[in-house]
Amino acid sequence: MNRATAKHLIERYFRQLTEGCGNGDCTNEICASCPNFRSLDNNTAAAKALDLFKVNAKLCNPNPSKKEQDSDLVNKMTDVGNAKENFSDVNHLTETTVCTILSFCEEEGDYSTLIHVLGRIFSNAEALIKSFRSDEPDISKDLDSVEATDNDNPEKKTPTSEEPGASSAAAFPDEDVSDQPLEVLVDISALRRVYDKLLSLDRVDAALVNALIYLTPNLELDLEYLDVYGTNPEYLNIFVVVLENTNLHSPEYLEVALPQFCKAMCKLPVAALARLVKLWASYGLTHIRRMMETFQQLITFTVVSNDYDGENLVNDDESVVAGTQCLKLAYYASILAGDVDVEHNEEDIEDPESDELTLHELLGEERLYKKGPRVDPLQKELGVRSVDCIKPLIPHEEFVNESLNDVVEMDKDFTFFKVNAETKFSFQSCPFILNVITKNQGLYYDNRIRMYSERRLTALYSMVQGQQPNPYLKLKVRRDHIIDDALVRLEMISMENPSDLKKQLFVEFEGEQGVDEGGVSKEFFQLVLEEIFNPDIGMFSYDDDTKLFWFNSSSLENEAQYTLVGLVLGLAIYNNCILDVHFPMVVYRKLMGKKGIYLDLSDSHPALFQSLKELQEYGGDVEKDMMLTFQISHMDLFGSPILYDLKEDGEEIPVTKENRQEFVEMYSDYILNKSVERQFRAFKKGFQIVTNESPLKYLFRPEEVELLICGSRKLDFEALEKTTEYDGGYSKDSQIIKDFWETIHSFGEEQKRLFLQFTTGTDRAPVGGLGKLKMIIAKNGSDTDRLPTSHTCFNALLLPEYCSKEKLKERLLKAITYAKGFGML
């Protein structure tokens, strides 16, 4: 049996399951007309149709009236007039054909024939594949004659990024032909002109909607079971043609036609999706933005039209899932069409592989704790990652769908992401659509599960070995020797048993009674950072203009100190603590796997960036006027100049107009990479010891990692007031509470930060702002001279009911100004 016959039989089974044979007395239990038949949705019917075909199941003979209905569904109104009048001989569309039919309909004053032809062609896959082809014979003559009648200029316009030329195959012309053997032969310019004419007419949208509804089940069948794209790569033309419809975002499409079409598009193989992404990237901003807005509309429309809960998950809504997967194509097109750097990559620090089975593997839990970053198949096919993006065509933030973020259940989504990725869709597989707050919830679940796992494994090992269980990462440190104590302890753990770093952190200050429920850890991190970033130590240099730190290339400290800094950053993320660190963005890009480049100097070394920019833009004689060579100098820790040759014998190689770009790139590479290679490698090693198994690199962009570590400097105390809870007899209407908030709002910026530090253990807002903090103000007795106190572990302020606003302000200022250390109340 040939493929065409098999396809025809499967389609008959599909129609029998979805529409029936039309016989009200049918006894065939696999026919929709049978009274005992349970109705199926299209996807289930498609799968069932294939199974019935394989076993040669019974097929009903449709009665004559049913045949007429089928004929009417496919051809709509094709039995109008003779062949000349209804254009029944048209089996595909070109711009010339459409213009001819339009002229005929205008003369007749009736557009039924046009509606008919559109319905017939757009509901037929083979017809769409052949339509609007750029290799259509004599198409230029036909176009000239049509354009001449419209008094247009018959000359062809030069293609631009916004309007490609005759063939969309012009995309990425510099790529190797062997890598791009398959052109998309669709005349995009002609297709857009046709849509412009058609979509201004009544009833055209309705015809196209009906055609798409009929077409898409067949597309799904073809792609899922018959490998049509592998047999005929021009099958992609269908999706190119349909997606040029600028009305796809309108309500009549959003209800049924577009969701079904997106589901069919998701069945395309990865190679086809990559071709589509590259094609869109070549079309420019207007097209990519329209695609992005269309899929965003579909997702939002579906989300707000339904109610989701713990039982009815948004992950199970096929329309939302399909829209998200299609939005991914627009996201990658935006990256490809923007500024991309795929070359300057940092080498990953590999973990030594062990042949021994881990306990996770013995317990069959390796899927939950599998190592290595995830790789998106489409990302791999395109050869580009989101971290490679310097500046996308459309800002990353525009791909976030807030309506979806409001309804996604991250605990369930995390399970799908880690365990059921093959059978369940997780929105974390498309992290661009999630905001940083939602992604942070996913990271939190991942970290907590690892902590509980390490605790459980410790208990198991202790039972077997007969030792006292140690379920926490315990650090006992002295305040005045915090770096030495922390360094020795963490270095021993990282060498002897690095998995202990995945336990929950528990810090104890020697001689103090504070029990660490989170607050003591916050102070530990703060004190460590204050010590490490002290300019007197010399590990980092500080820029007074940018207020940022950078690695000191001539530091006398050993690598273990830098490893400790990396460990602290990793532990802060792992234990959900915010740090007061001030690094330029290039540090986070390097942590995510990218080397520093010239553009990164703009925030890390702005003065140098400006000098190199002026060198590149200089219009005079660079060699004579600038008198630069490929030998550079910079100051060491003690202010002495250090000379460095960017090239061998660099002192003798002058910088000229011809080689100045090379000079700029080599200078930038030295400052950001080579000069601090030893220090940064140790720093990254410490960071990766804690985060190597985390989905951090997969979920977050560098600027989002900075937000995770540092929190937000923007403090919205109005938002904090709205979300604060009260206990012990206080309420938002209590006079003392009203006085308290008036006092807080009257504070200056520095005093507000001191209050935040006193109450929460950090002067930064968490991811999402102060509104996400959930502070508690509890009554701590009546009027007294005692100072307010706090439980930083729980963001709780214990506030006595002072007798006046003035006393409240005086006591509060004293408390936040002289607060350091922990004691038992």
Side-chain angles (χ1 to χ4, degrees):
M1 184 184 298
N2 60 33
R3 194 176 72 88
T5 306
K7 179 182 174 183
H8 176 69
L9 282 173
I10 293 171
E11 286 178 351
R12 283 191 61 189
Y13 282 118
F14 179 76
R15 287 199 187 92
Q16 180 173 295
L17 291 167
T18 55
E19 300 167 15
C21 64
N23 181 2
D25 299 323
C26 181
T27 57
N28 187 354
E29 293 185 355
I30 55 171
C31 176
S33 296
C34 178
N36 299 328
F37 183 79
R38 290 174 58 186
S39 60
L40 306 172
D41 60 57
N42 283 348
N43 284 340
T44 308
K48 183 72 172 174
L50 186 66
D51 293 336
L52 295 176
F53 166 75
K54 290 177 180 177
V55 298
N56 196 23
K58 180 181 177 182
L59 267 173
C60 297
N61 291 318
N63 60 36
S65 61
K66 184 60 185 173
K67 288 183 179 177
E68 289 171 6
Q69 292 171 15
D70 283 347
S71 177
D72 184 57
L73 181 61
V74 180
N75 300 314
K76 298 299 177 186
M77 298 163 60
T78 52
D79 58 338
V80 180
N82 57 36
K84 179 180 178 182
E85 292 175 342
N86 63 21
F87 295 90
S88 59
D89 58 336
V90 173
N91 56 19
H92 67 280
L93 294 178
T94 65
E95 186 177 17
T96 306
T97 307
V98 173
C99 289
T100 303
I101 299 172
L102 269 172
S103 298
F104 170 80
C105 292
E106 286 169 1
E107 290 176 7
E108 295 291 319
D110 181 6
Y111 288 89
S112 297
T113 302
L114 174 67
I115 300 303
H116 246 55
V117 174
L118 291 177
R120 180 160 51 81
I121 299 299
F122 273 83
S123 62
N124 185 291
E126 295 296 329
L128 277 179
I129 291 171
K130 296 174 184 176
S131 295
F132 304 106
R133 291 177 62 92
S134 56
D135 57 351
E136 186 75 19
D138 297 323
I139 192 165
S140 59
K141 294 180 182 178
D142 293 338
L143 279 174
D144 287 349
S145 63
V146 172
E147 290 172 354
T149 60
D150 292 336
N151 295 320
D152 288 335
N153 184 355
E155 294 182 6
K156 291 227 175 197
K157 291 192 289 185
T158 303
T160 67
S161 63
E162 293 297 325
E163 184 178 350
S167 172
S168 58
F172 302 94
D174 296 332
E175 294 191 8
D176 189 349
V177 176
S178 63
D179 293 334
Q180 284 291 98
L182 304 173
E183 298 178 345
V184 181
L185 299 173
V186 176
D187 190 337
I188 295 297
S189 299
L191 178 58
R192 290 177 180 174
R193 290 193 295 268
V194 166
Y195 270 122
D196 286 342
K197 293 172 182 175
L198 293 178
L199 296 177
S200 62
L201 302 174
D202 293 336
R203 296 173 56 199
V204 165
D205 271 323
L208 293 177
V209 167
N210 289 333
L212 277 182
I213 291 173
Y214 183 81
L215 171 70
T216 47
N218 293 327
L219 295 183
E220 281 196 73
L221 277 168
D222 286 349
L223 290 166
E224 191 159 8
Y225 300 112
L226 300 178
D227 189 28
V228 286
Y229 178 79
T231 308
N232 180 16
E234 291 182 0
Y235 203 83
L236 191 65
N237 292 10
I238 298 170
F239 298 90
V240 175
V241 170
V242 171
L243 289 169
E244 282 300 322
N245 183 342
T246 54
N247 279 2
L248 287 176
H249 64 279
S250 56
E252 53 265 37
Y253 290 92
L254 291 176
E255 290 185 8
V256 181
L258 185 59
Q260 285 190 0
F261 186 77
C262 287
K263 281 186 272 184
M265 191 159 83
C266 293
K267 304 290 185 185
L268 283 166
V270 175
L273 295 174
R275 286 178 65 201
L276 207 52
V277 169
K278 293 178 181 180
L279 196 63
W280 290 357
S282 72
Y283 290 165
L285 176 62
T286 303
H287 180 89
I288 299 173
R289 182 174 292 282
R290 182 174 64 79
M291 288 291 94
M292 183 266 292
E293 290 174 350
T294 296
F295 299 130
Q296 287 281 37
Q297 283 272 61
L298 170 60
I299 295 166
T300 303
F301 176 84
T302 309
V303 168
V304 300
S305 302
N306 293 280
D307 293 322
Y308 301 102
D309 52 37
E311 299 298 322
N312 179 31
L313 297 174
V314 69
N315 303 66
D316 295 325
D317 192 315
E318 293 182 341
S319 297
V320 176
V321 170
T324 302
Q325 290 175 320
C326 291
L327 183 63
K328 183 197 288 187
L329 307 188
Y331 177 74
Y332 278 116
S334 172
I335 290 176
L336 276 182
D339 297 330
V340 180
D341 170 31
V342 296
E343 297 177 354
H344 302 90
N345 299 314
E346 290 271 2
E347 291 184 11
D348 278 334
I349 301 169
E350 299 291 339
D351 290 331
E353 292 292 332
S354 172
D355 294 331
E356 296 181 11
L357 283 174
T358 67
L359 191 55
H360 290 309
E361 291 170 330
L362 290 171
L363 295 173
E365 297 176 344
E366 66 275 10
R367 283 193 303 171
L368 259 180
Y369 309 98
K370 53 191 173 188
K371 293 187 180 183
R374 287 169 170 265
V375 178
D376 185 338
L378 182 58
Q379 170 186 296
K380 187 176 181 181
E381 184 74 20
L382 291 168
V384 67
R385 304 166 296 167
S386 61
V387 74
D388 295 329
C389 180
I390 299 171
K391 184 180 179 182
L393 204 60
I394 299 173
H396 294 292
E397 294 74 20
E398 294 192 33
F399 287 90
V400 174
N401 189 293
E402 294 297 345
S403 299
L404 175 65
N405 280 267
D406 290 340
V407 298
V408 66
E409 302 274 350
M410 282 307 292
D411 53 344
K412 305 277 179 43
D413 191 89
F414 171 78
T415 305
F416 301 156
F417 180 66
K418 295 294 288 188
V419 182
N420 301 328
E422 293 82 9
T423 57
K424 284 281 193 177
F425 177 80
S426 165
F427 289 99
Q428 290 179 82
S429 65
C430 297
F432 57 85
I433 202 170
L434 302 176
N435 60 37
V436 67
I437 301 170
T438 306
K439 287 189 281 191
N440 190 37
Q441 289 177 356
L443 186 65
Y444 175 81
Y445 286 123
D446 186 79
N447 293 341
R448 289 292 151 178
I449 285 176
R450 289 185 191 281
M451 287 179 185
Y452 298 149
S453 169
E454 290 301 330
R455 192 179 302 175
R456 191 162 59 100
L457 292 180
T458 300
L460 244 117
Y461 282 130
S462 302
M463 288 172 59
V464 172
Q465 299 171 357
Q467 298 176 353
Q468 185 72 22
N470 184 18
Y472 298 99
L473 170 59
K474 287 191 175 181
L475 296 180
K476 188 171 183 178
V477 295
R478 297 165 293 174
R479 277 186 182 271
D480 51 351
H481 295 84
I482 193 164
I483 292 294
D484 294 336
D485 292 352
L487 179 62
V488 169
R489 180 76 178 121
L490 289 173
E491 194 170 20
M492 285 177 59
I493 292 171
S494 62
M495 292 173 62
E496 294 175 2
N497 193 9
S499 63
D500 279 1
L501 294 170
K502 308 291 174 62
K503 296 176 181 177
Q504 186 173 348
L505 181 63
F506 189 96
V507 177
E508 180 184 345
F509 285 105
E510 194 172 279
E512 298 183 24
Q513 297 173 302
V515 177
D516 191 4
E517 293 287 345
V520 182
S521 295
K522 292 177 186 177
E523 175 134 353
F524 164 75
F525 284 128
Q526 179 192 347
L527 294 174
V528 167
L529 291 174
E530 283 179 3
E531 188 78 19
I532 284 174
F533 286 99
N534 187 333
D536 295 338
I537 291 182
M539 289 180 65
F540 296 91
S541 57
Y542 181 70
D543 189 310
D544 290 319
D545 295 328
T546 62
K547 312 295 184 189
L548 298 174
F549 288 94
W550 182 247
F551 297 87
N552 190 336
S553 58
S554 54
S555 171
L556 302 178
E557 298 294 333
N558 59 34
E559 293 180 15
Q561 299 275 41
Y562 288 98
T563 302
L564 174 62
V565 184
L567 271 171
V568 166
L569 259 66
L571 286 170
I573 290 179
Y574 195 64
N575 290 273
N576 206 31
C577 290
I578 294 172
L579 304 180
D580 185 21
V581 295
H582 305 268
F583 282 132
M585 184 57 63
V586 64
V587 171
Y588 302 103
R589 291 188 72 242
K590 285 167 72 70
L591 282 176
M592 299 293 275
K594 299 299 295 183
K595 287 185 177 180
I597 58 175
Y598 160 67
L599 293 174
D600 292 315
L601 291 172
S602 61
D603 66 330
S604 64
H605 301 77
L608 175 60
F609 174 79
Q610 189 60 36
S611 298
L612 294 177
K613 183 179 179 183
E614 290 172 1
L615 170 63
Q616 292 181 95
E617 296 172 350
Y618 187 67
D621 190 324
V622 173
E623 183 175 355
K624 290 183 179 179
D625 298 345
M626 299 287 189
M627 298 182 66
L628 296 170
T629 68
F630 275 76
Q631 184 182 77
I632 61 172
S633 67
H634 63 96
M635 298 296 178
D636 67 5
L637 183 63
F638 307 102
S640 303
I642 296 176
L643 300 178
Y644 179 79
D645 286 346
L646 297 176
K647 286 184 172 184
E648 190 175 348
D649 300 324
E651 186 181 11
E652 301 173 6
I653 305 173
V655 176
T656 65
K657 185 176 182 180
E658 289 72 28
N659 65 16
R660 62 181 171 182
Q661 185 61 41
E662 182 186 14
F663 173 79
V664 167
E665 291 176 359
M666 295 185 77
Y667 199 155
S668 305
D669 182 50
Y670 173 74
I671 294 296
L672 297 176
N673 304 310
K674 290 182 178 177
S675 67
V676 295
E677 184 174 4
R678 177 181 67 86
Q679 294 87 343
F680 184 81
R681 187 172 180 82
F683 170 75
K684 185 176 181 179
K685 177 185 175 183
F687 184 77
Q688 287 189 341
I689 286 174
V690 186
T691 63
N692 62 335
E693 297 177 9
S694 167
L696 185 76
K697 286 178 72 171
Y698 182 85
L699 294 177
F700 295 90
R701 303 190 307 276
E703 59 269 25
E704 293 175 326
V705 174
E706 181 189 31
L707 193 59
L708 284 180
I709 294 174
C710 306
S712 173
R713 294 285 295 177
K714 183 179 178 182
L715 302 181
D716 184 358
F717 275 82
E718 300 285 349
L720 179 61
E721 182 179 356
K722 290 177 183 176
T723 58
T724 296
E725 298 176 359
Y726 304 95
D727 196 12
Y730 284 158
S731 71
K732 66 177 181 178
D733 297 319
S734 302
Q735 186 58 46
I736 183 74
I737 296 301
K738 292 178 180 178
D739 292 343
F740 170 81
W741 285 114
E742 286 177 13
T743 301
I744 291 295
H745 293 314
S746 70
F747 281 173
E749 187 72 16
E750 186 59 34
Q751 289 173 325
K752 286 180 178 178
R753 292 194 182 280
L754 285 173
F755 168 74
L756 208 57
Q757 180 77 49
F758 173 76
T759 311
T760 69
T762 176
D763 67 351
R764 299 288 188 101
V767 174
L770 285 181
K772 300 290 182 182
L773 196 58
K774 303 298 182 190
M775 189 174 78
I776 300 170
I777 300 179
K779 186 175 180 178
N780 191 25
S782 56
D783 184 35
T784 178
D785 288 335
R786 286 186 296 124
L787 297 175
T789 52
S790 65
H791 293 307
T792 54
C793 308
F794 308 106
N795 303 326
L797 175 68
L798 305 182
L799 185 68
E801 193 172 10
Y802 297 112
C803 60
S804 68
K805 183 177 178 182
E806 291 72 23
K807 186 175 183 179
L808 165 67
K809 183 174 183 178
E810 184 268 331
R811 297 280 85 188
L812 185 60
L813 278 173
K814 183 168 284 188
I816 65 177
T817 305
Y818 300 101
K820 184 168 280 192
F822 292 87
M824 299 299 288
L825 297 177

